[in-house]
């Protein structure tokens, strides 16, 4: 499993979340406390929004703790909306194309979780993509493919519905392949205006998700695990939830892929 952190609010230096806190994303890359494995050393990435509509993107295959370029960039870049990710592979080679976040146009996406039985489902799921989106596949991960399914399902105009329909495609593909659906999905994504996050699983083990106000700036963070264990204001997001954060509000709604009976269970 992976670790990630996202922020929206007044501009701040990326280091304030990615590298500086006592349990920062860099610290979590070699000592995660709420992940299946403590080490997340299969690459990293950051996507940040600035003067242009599309996000800046920097990804590499080194462990995050050993890349001085990452620390230097985080010390210099200021942004009011960014996503950062450290990877622990559940499938797919350690390559730049498989590092999160993924980006298409103004959208950036990162993920912690997995599509169980992905090799049995991959061909079915790729067949659901339009030719245009199929040609956008760069890597070999279930995360990138899920992002493309969301784009196919109308991410541009309906982020929550697109994520629900993409999840339902995975569940239906598992049924069609004769295997039990096994989807674990904790993801964050943005169009540069709002920050969205989802926590969902078809079993009782949805990967963790938290949100809190970042007191230094008055913005808000969404993370896979808290980067400041002393902070009293972290709110655990319940399973089967969809979060939307803008400058004006935080909205938490049920996340309910429609169709077959859902198996999501609260932790």
């Amino acid at each position: 499993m992976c670790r990630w952190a996202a922020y929206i609010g007044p501009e701040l230096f990326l280091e304030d979340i990615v590298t500086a806190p006592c349990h920062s994303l860099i610290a979590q890359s070699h000592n995660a406390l709420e992940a299946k494995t403590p080490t997340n050393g299969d690459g990293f990435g950051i996507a940040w929004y600035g003067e242009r509509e599309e996000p800046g993107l920097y990804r590499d295959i080194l462990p995050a703790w050993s890349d001085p370029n990452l620390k230097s960039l985080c010390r210099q870049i200021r942004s009011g909306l960014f996503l950062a990710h450290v990877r622990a592979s559940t499938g797919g080679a350690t390559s730049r194309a498989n590092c999160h976040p993924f980006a298409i146009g103004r959208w950036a996406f990162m993920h912690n979780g997995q599509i169980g039985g992905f090799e049995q489902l991959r061909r079915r799921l790729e067949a659901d993509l339009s030719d245009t989106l199929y040609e956008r596949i760069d890597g070999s991960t279930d995360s990138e493919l899920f992002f493309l399914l969301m784009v196919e399902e109308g991410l541009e105009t309906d982020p929550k519905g697109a994520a629900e329909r993409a999840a339902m495609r995975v569940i239906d593909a598992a049924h069609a392949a004769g295997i039990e659906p096994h989807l674990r999905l904790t993801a964050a994504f943005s169009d540069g205006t709002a920050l969205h996050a989802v926590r969902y699983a078809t079993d009782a083990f949805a990967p963790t998700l938290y949100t809190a106000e970042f007191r230094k700036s008055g913005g808000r963070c969404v993370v896979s695990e808290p980067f400041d264990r002393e902070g009293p204001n972290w709110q655990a997001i319940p399973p089967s939830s969809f979060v939307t954060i803008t400058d004006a509000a935080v909205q938490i709604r049920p996340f309910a892929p429609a169709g077959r009976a859902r198996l999501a269970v609260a932790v």
Side-chain angles (χ1 to χ4, degrees), residues 186-210:
T186 297
F189 47 101
S190 179
D191 61 352
T193 302
L195 176 61
H196 307 280
V198 58
R199 184 186 183 202
Y200 175 78
T202 53
D203 59 16
F205 302 102
T208 53
L209 183 65
Y210 298 87

Side-chain angles (χ1 to χ4, degrees), residues 109-194:
F109 171 92
M110 62 185 178
H111 172 236
N112 172 37
Q114 65 184 128
I115 297 174
F118 180 58
E119 293 307 317
Q120 296 170 265
L121 307 181
R122 182 175 179 177
R123 183 175 179 183
R124 295 174 187 269
L125 294 173
E126 289 181 346
D128 284 342
L129 296 175
S130 66
D131 290 343
T132 300
L133 284 176
Y134 182 81
E135 292 170 0
R136 295 298 302 266
I137 297 175
D138 289 328
S140 57
T141 66
D142 52 356
S143 300
E144 181 188 28
L145 182 52
F146 191 87
F147 176 39
L148 293 171
L149 289 171
M150 288 172 54
V151 175
E152 186 78 17
E153 287 289 353
L155 177 62
E156 185 70 27
T157 58
D158 182 16
K160 177 175 177 289
E164 288 174 330
R165 291 187 290 271
M168 203 62 235
R169 283 198 186 193
V170 173
I171 294 170
D172 285 345
H175 285 301
I179 63 176
E180 189 70 17
H182 179 73
L183 172 64
R184 292 178 183 169
L185 173 69
T186 297
F189 47 101
S190 179
D191 61 352
T193 302

Side-chain angles (χ1 to χ4, degrees), residues 29-45:
S29 69
H30 57 77
N31 187 29
L33 300 178
E34 299 189 29
K36 183 180 293 186
T37 58
T39 303
N40 299 271
D42 296 322
F44 66 85

